[in-house]
């Protein structure tokens, strides 16, 4: 093919291909944040946990708490009639997840 002909065919071919491409077509870029873990909200304060849970164990003396940062679980300790009561609380929601003892 003569070079003058190539110079004419190339722009026409590109224009034809562009005419058949859907409007707004873009190359998909990977979403770098899609697989990244979402930042977790900090756990509730022990004061907030106590405010929610202590009233739910009536007649018991509140002794204190432990906190496990790996599981974000607070364990509140109570004493009632000589028995120890353990209450595990989800530190993110404040929900009681387990209660042992009387």
């Amino acid at each position: 093919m003569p070079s003058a002909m190539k110079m004419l065919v190339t722009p026409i071919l590109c224009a034809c291909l562009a005419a058949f491409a859907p409007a707004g077509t873009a190359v998909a870029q990977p979403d770098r944040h899609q697989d990244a873990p979402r930042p977790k909200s900090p756990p509730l304060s022990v004061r907030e946990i106590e405010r929610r849970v202590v009233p739910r164990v009536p007649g018991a003396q509140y002794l204190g708490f432990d906190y496990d940062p790996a599981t974000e679980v607070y364990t509140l300790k109570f004493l009632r009639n000589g028995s120890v009561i353990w209450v595990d609380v989800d530190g993110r929601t404040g929900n009681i997840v387990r209660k042992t003892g009387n």
Side-chain angles (χ1 to χ4, degrees), residues 6-29:
K6 281 184 187 177
M7 291 168 66
L8 183 59
V9 170
T10 303
I12 293 172
L13 182 59
C14 289
C16 289
L17 290 174
F20 289 107
T25 302
V27 177
Q29 296 295 322

Side-chain angles (χ1 to χ4, degrees), residues 4-99:
M5 187 89 144
K6 281 184 187 177
M7 291 168 66
L8 183 59
V9 170
T10 303
I12 293 172
L13 182 59
C14 289
C16 289
L17 290 174
F20 289 107
T25 302
V27 177
Q29 296 295 322
D31 184 3
R32 295 174 195 225
H33 301 290
Q34 185 176 10
D35 295 330
R38 289 184 162 188
K40 291 171 38 176
S41 60
L44 298 170
S45 72
V46 68
R47 300 299 162 235
E48 178 62 21
I49 295 293
E50 290 170 339
R51 186 187 70 74
R52 294 179 185 197
V53 176
V54 171
R56 296 182 64 186
V57 190
Q61 177 187 0
Y62 175 57
L63 301 175
F65 74 96
D66 286 326
Y67 177 69
D68 182 359
T71 60
E72 295 185 334
V73 170
Y74 287 94
T75 301
L76 280 64
K77 294 172 257 179
F78 297 86
L79 183 64
R80 183 187 317 149
N81 301 328
S83 295
V84 177
I85 301 168
W86 305 88
V87 180
D88 292 340
V89 182
D90 184 323
R92 288 162 292 174
T93 65
N95 294 331
I96 294 174
V97 292
R98 182 175 41 191
K99 182 177 175 185

